Amino acid sequence: MHLLDTTTFELGTGDQPNVRYEGYAILSHRWVGEEISFRQLPDVVAELRSNKAPGSTPQIEKIRGACKIARDSGFRWLWIDSCCIDKSNAVEFDETIRSMYNWYRDARICITYLNDVDATGSWGPRLFNSIERDGPSFWFSRGWTLQELLAPSEVRFYDRNWEYIGTRHSHAQTLSQITGIATDYLLGAKDILSACVATKMSWMAGRTTTRPEDIAYSMLGIFNVHMNTRYGEGMEAFIRLQQELLTASHLTADESIFAWRMPAPHSGGRFLRSNQEADWLEGEWGLLAPSPDWFKDSGGVTVEQAHLVERQPKSFDLIQGSVVAWIPTAGGTKTEAYLAALSIITFMACFYYPLILPRMRTNRLAKDFEYPLNAYIRDEQGNLEPLRIWLRPAGNNRFYRVKCTEFAQGRSERGPRRGRVQQEKVLQPILRNTDDGFRYKH
C-alpha cells in the first residue's frame, strides 16, 4: 500500500511503523479527465510543493487540496486511488482492487471531494446538488463510491472549493434520500454486512463504472467475499460475483439473491448474446440477474424472518452455466406407482404405459408454477409478505424463470407444487460483451 506524504508529496508505504500508529486519511472523489497517475506523480511534485495557485490542472489542485485538508486534520499520510496504485504491476493492482474496501474501512477519516457541488447558500437535500445537472452530485452515481460512503468510520464532505459540508452522520437523512440506504446503516446503528443480498444490490442499482467488470469488483468488500479480477470478461464478472455469493458460507441461506424484477419484459435483450442454447422470450430469464439495476425496487427485501421452506445446506450453485436448485418434480410418486401397477395387471396397460406417462408428465410440466423463496418484502401497508417467483419447465429436467417483471406475492393462487424434491437445472442466459444484434424470438 503506497501512501502520499501530505507535506512532501512523496510516496511512502503503509508498512512503516509510524503509519500504523498515526493512521492515515483517504480520498474519495470522482475521476474527471486525465488524473495524475503513480508514474506521473514524481513529475508534478515540484508544482505541488510550490505556492502557485491555481495549479496547472484541476487534477493537481485536487491532490494539493486533499493533502491540505488531511494535513490540517493532523494526518501526515493520505491515500489517493489515482496516484497511489502502480497499475503497471499486475499483482499489486489485483491486490488493491480486492483490498480497497478494507483500506477505506481502516482509514481514520475519508475526505470526500464533490467537484460538481457548490454548497454556498444551500441547505437540506439541495446541499449535495450538482451544478452540472438537475440532481445530486455525480459522485452518488458512481459504482466505486458506494463502498467509499459505507466503509469508513468517518466520512467528511467538501464542495468544489474545499468548503466543508458536513459528515455522513450529520447528513444521514439527506444521504438516505439520495442513495436509498437506510439511515441505520449510514449511522452505524446496523452493520452493513448484516443487510441481505437484495438490499445491498439495490444500493448499487443505477450506479455506473467506466469498465463493466468494476460493477462486480466494487462490491466485493460490501459482500465480504473474494475473487480474482479478470478485466475483459465484461458482464460475466457480475455473474461470477453471484456465484461467490451462492457458495459463501455466511450467505448460503440468503435467497434474496433471487429477489429481483426485470424492469420491463424486453429489458433482458440488451444483455443476451446472439447464440443461445435456449430460445428466450420477453419476460424470461434465469435465476441470476445480469445487473444490480434489476434490484432497484428490492431495498425492502429481508431474510431476517423464519424460513418458509426447509432446504438442503448449500441448496444453490452455478454449474456449467445453469443454477442448480432443489425443485419439486412434476407429478407425484403415487401416480407413477399406480400406473406402474396398472401396467402389470393388463397387457394393454403394459403396452400404453411408456406412451401415456411421458405425455402426462409433459402436460403437467407445461404449467408455470410458483417457487417460494426464503425471503420477504413489505406490502403497501408495511406488512411482511413471503416472496415467490415463477418457474416454467423447459423439458429434460430443466427450468427457467418467467413473468420476471413481477413477484408472486400474497396468497398463492395454486398452492405449493407437489412432488419429490430433487436437484434440477435452471437455465441461465449467456451474456454478451458487445452488441451482437440479439433479437427476441417471437
Side-chain angles (χ1 to χ4, degrees), residues 201-442:
M201 291 291 191
S202 74
W203 299 343
M204 181 60 78
R207 292 174 178 262
T208 60
T209 55
T210 302
R211 306 180 75 166
E213 299 89 349
D214 283 337
I215 284 291
Y217 303 158
S218 64
M219 299 190 77
L220 293 177
I222 292 173
F223 286 114
N224 193 25
V225 296
H226 303 277
M227 71 181 200
N228 293 328
T229 58
R230 297 176 189 169
Y231 282 102
E233 66 179 327
M235 292 179 290
E236 281 295 332
F238 186 64
I239 299 300
R240 204 157 55 87
L241 169 64
Q242 293 178 88
Q243 183 177 16
E244 293 295 327
L245 301 183
L246 289 175
T247 57
S249 59
H250 62 293
L251 293 172
T252 52
D254 190 339
E255 297 180 18
S256 72
I257 191 173
F258 309 125
W260 51 264
R261 282 175 283 197
M262 191 180 278
H266 62 273
S267 298
R270 73 183 187 92
F271 296 102
L272 292 171
R273 204 169 74 184
S274 58
N275 54 329
Q276 298 283 327
E277 294 180 4
D279 292 338
W280 296 96
L281 304 178
E282 290 189 355
E284 299 176 349
W285 203 258
L287 283 180
L288 301 180
S291 164
D293 292 348
W294 289 16
F295 289 87
K296 181 175 73 71
D297 298 319
S298 298
V301 173
T302 179
V303 295
E304 295 178 0
Q305 303 300 311
H307 284 185
L308 294 169
V309 185
E310 290 297 327
R311 303 207 203 274
Q312 299 287 335
K314 297 185 178 181
S315 296
F316 303 92
D317 198 0
L318 183 63
I319 300 176
Q320 296 180 343
S322 298
V323 176
V324 176
W326 290 88
I327 298 176
T329 58
T333 54
K334 290 183 179 180
T335 303
E336 296 184 9
Y338 172 77
L339 289 176
L342 188 62
S343 69
I344 297 175
I345 294 174
T346 66
F347 174 82
M348 291 301 295
C350 288
F351 179 78
Y352 284 112
Y353 176 68
L355 302 177
I356 295 173
L357 186 57
R359 180 170 296 181
M360 180 179 179
R361 283 176 171 166
T362 300
N363 290 338
R364 293 189 177 187
L365 283 169
K367 296 179 181 178
D368 302 342
F369 63 94
E370 297 175 5
Y371 186 75
L373 301 177
N374 285 317
Y376 298 78
I377 193 169
R378 293 194 182 278
D379 60 18
E380 295 179 355
Q381 288 72 41
N383 301 315
L384 286 176
E385 286 194 347
L387 276 180
R388 300 183 303 280
I389 57 177
W390 295 91
L391 295 183
R392 177 180 295 167
N396 297 323
N397 297 322
R398 301 181 303 170
F399 300 81
Y400 50 95
R401 182 174 170 180
V402 294
K403 304 179 184 179
C404 291
T405 58
E406 61 185 272
F407 292 136
Q409 292 177 236
R411 188 166 183 174
S412 176
E413 298 176 7
R414 302 177 182 175
R417 194 175 196 236
R418 304 296 181 184
R420 183 176 64 254
V421 178
Q422 62 186 38
Q423 285 188 309
E424 305 284 8
K425 288 184 177 181
V426 181
L427 298 175
Q428 192 68 28
I430 303 173
L431 303 185
R432 63 173 178 80
N433 275 331
T434 58
D435 185 0
D436 59 0
F438 174 86
R439 295 293 184 271
Y440 276 114
K441 299 182 183 296
H442 296 282

